[in-house]
């Protein structure tokens, strides 16, 4: 199945938050509820993507050509989704001003955490990813570009209604690979991982 994406803001790649949101929307049509979600990125995607859903015991999915892999549980069964690039170019983009999220957020550098009160203008996954990037850029400012690498959550984050979202850095390997916890109203629901790529 082909998934149609637009570029986010001034980016020239399909953003991980849009991939997450679109995947979950499509999969919920057949696999509601989704539980134990894990999304991992293997390369940056500059073209449109197509998805293939398999049971996890099925080893026919080749990982080498996948832009990302999405795993989830549904009614006791484990599923695997591969997203690979097509030959179709991404032709549209939409406005996205990440700096607005930075203005909303409060950084607690000593505790390596960041928090904010969500606003409806942004999805929860957009807030979580942007918050982690803002936090890491503040406390691990070595040169390079941070990329959203992996997400592990117990449930879909987007429908959650919370008065506060908090991200806390819990592990880092130098300033290149990080793991942060995600909490909604004080309850940890998963982790987000980032990796840093040297700037050319």
């Amino acid at each position: 199945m082909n998934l149609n994406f637009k570029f986010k803001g001034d980016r020239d790649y399909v953003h991980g938050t849009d991939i997450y949101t679109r995947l979950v929307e499509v999969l919920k049509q057949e696999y509601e509820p989704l539980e134990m979600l894990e999304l991992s990125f293997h390369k940056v995607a500059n073209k449109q993507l197509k998805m293939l859903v398999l049971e996890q015991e099925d080893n026919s999915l080749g990982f080498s050509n996948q832009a990302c892999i999405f795993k989830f549980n549904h009614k006791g069964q484990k599923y695997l989704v591969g997203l690979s690039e097509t030959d179709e170019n991404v032709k549209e983009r939409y406005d996205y001003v990440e700096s607005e999220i930075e203005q909303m957020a409060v950084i607690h550098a000593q505790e390596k955490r960041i928090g904010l009160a969500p606003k409806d203008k942004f999805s929860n996954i957009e807030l979580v990813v942007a918050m982690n990037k803002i936090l890491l850029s503040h406390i691990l400012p070595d040169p390079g570009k941070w990329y959203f690498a992996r997400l592990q959550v117990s449930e879909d984050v987007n429908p959650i209604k919370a008065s506060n979202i908090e991200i806390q850095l819990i592990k880092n390997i130098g300033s290149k690979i990080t793991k942060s916890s995600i909490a909604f109203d004080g309850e940890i629901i998963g982790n987000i991982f980032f990796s840093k790529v040297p700037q050319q």
Side-chain angles (χ1 to χ4, degrees), residues 133-146:
K133 179 178 160 187
I134 293 161
L135 176 65
L136 297 178
S137 298
H138 188 81
I139 63 178
L140 297 171
D142 292 351
K145 181 175 175 60
W146 285 110

Side-chain angles (χ1 to χ4, degrees), residues 43-79:
K43 64 179 181 178
V44 174
N46 306 107
K47 295 184 180 293
Q48 297 289 5
L49 297 163
K50 62 181 179 181
M51 62 178 276
L52 176 65
V53 182
L54 301 170
E55 292 187 3
Q56 282 195 33
E57 288 77 10
D58 187 336
N59 295 317
S60 63
L61 185 65
F63 284 84
S64 61
N65 65 341
Q66 303 301 307
C68 59
I69 299 291
F70 185 66
K71 298 178 183 179
F72 68 94
N73 291 1
H74 172 67
K75 295 184 177 178
Q77 178 63 50
K78 296 181 178 180
Y79 292 88

Side-chain angles (χ1 to χ4, degrees), residues 114-116 118 124 127-128 131 162-167 182-184:
I114 184 172
L116 59 68
N124 284 341
L127 293 172
V128 164
M131 289 168 69
S163 59
N164 180 265
I165 299 176
E166 192 168 88
I167 308 295
I182 305 165
F184 284 72

Side-chain angles (χ1 to χ4, degrees), residues 83-101:
L83 266 74
S84 57
E85 285 187 289
T86 68
D87 294 329
E88 184 182 353
N89 292 324
V90 178
K91 298 173 183 175
E92 298 179 77
R93 65 177 63 247
Y94 67 95
D95 291 337
Y96 175 72
V97 185
E98 192 171 82
S99 60
E100 292 182 28
I101 298 175

